[in-house]
């Protein structure tokens, strides 16, 4: 046993389950049937378990194969969520931005700044944290906050 199943192996496994045969799964996945079969064999070897009973008519899941279906689905959903979260964070199409500000900043720039940010990135939630200026600067420096508004001078 090596490093664990790959996402591709899990995709092929679920596709075979869904389509009932390696050839139908391979067609759906746009790969050659021997490639898909080889990945399923490698997955079985990695897990030390047979996942399918291969018959002339169709594939049937073994008991272990049935146990793995929901886990494989959850794993692929989690992988998709990782990609989506990273995409949202890097493209400002979702998530939350944390912004630190000193106590009287709302009298100056905060309202128009927040309004403009929200107009540009409506899907991003804005969390405003009130701190003193040196705490804001420290929080931005350590990555606890994405940005901050401070009153100079600050170390």
């Amino acid at each position: 046993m090596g490093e664990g199943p790959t996402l591709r192996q899990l995709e092929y496994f679920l596709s075979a389950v869904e389509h009932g045969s390696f050839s139908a799964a391979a067609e759906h996945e746009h790969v050659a049937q021997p490639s898909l079969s080889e990945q399923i064999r490698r997955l079985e070897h990695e897990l030390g378990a047979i996942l399918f009973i291969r018959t002339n008519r169709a594939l049937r899941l073994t008991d272990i194969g049935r146990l793995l279906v929901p886990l494989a689905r959850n794993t692929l959903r989690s992988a998709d969520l990782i990609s989506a979260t990273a995409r949202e964070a890097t493209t400002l199409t979702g998530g939350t931005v944390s912004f630190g500000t000193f106590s009287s900043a709302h009298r100056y720039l905060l309202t128009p700044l927040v309004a403009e940010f929200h107009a540009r990135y409506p899907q991003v939630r804005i969390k405003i944290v009130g701190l003193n200026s040196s705490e804001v600067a420290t929080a931005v420096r350590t990555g606890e906050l994405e940005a901050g508004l401070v009153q100079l001078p600050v170390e």
Side-chain angles (χ1 to χ4, degrees):
M1 296 201 202
E3 299 180 10
T6 67
L7 295 177
R8 178 156 324 237
Q9 288 169 342
L10 296 177
E11 286 171 356
Y12 289 177
F13 166 68
L14 289 176
S15 190
V17 169
E18 186 180 325
H19 294 93
S21 75
F22 288 166
S23 57
E27 189 175 318
H28 180 262
E29 298 295 329
H30 307 289
V31 296
Q33 189 265 325
S35 297
L36 185 129
S37 295
E38 176 61 20
Q39 288 302 314
I40 299 285
R41 259 193 306 284
R42 288 181 183 182
L43 175 62
E44 289 176 325
H45 178 74
E46 179 67 37
L47 299 174
I50 300 299
L51 302 176
F52 293 102
I53 299 167
R54 294 148 171 91
T55 67
N56 288 340
R57 290 181 224 233
L59 291 174
R60 279 194 5 247
L61 282 169
T62 62
D63 290 343
I64 294 170
R66 271 192 293 285
L67 285 172
L68 295 184
V69 168
L71 298 171
R73 284 189 178 127
N74 287 340
T75 299
L76 292 176
R77 263 195 300 274
S78 293
D80 288 344
L81 185 59
I82 287 170
S83 297
T85 301
R87 192 170 40 255
E88 285 179 358
T90 57
T91 60
L92 291 177
T93 56
T96 301
V97 63
S98 296
F99 187 83
T101 179
F102 60 96
S103 59
S104 57
H106 64 278
R107 293 192 203 121
Y108 307 105
L109 301 169
L110 195 56
T111 303
L113 186 69
V114 168
E116 185 177 336
F117 185 90
H118 182 68
R120 284 189 189 186
Y121 309 105
Q123 305 93 325
V124 179
R125 290 184 308 281
I126 303 166
K127 176 180 161 190
I128 298 173
V129 181
L131 303 166
N132 68 43
S133 289
S134 64
E135 290 170 328
V136 170
T138 300
V140 170
R141 219 176 283 120
T142 62
E144 293 172 55
L145 298 173
E146 278 78 29
L149 182 62
V150 298
Q151 192 168 21
L152 296 176
V154 172
E155 290 291 318

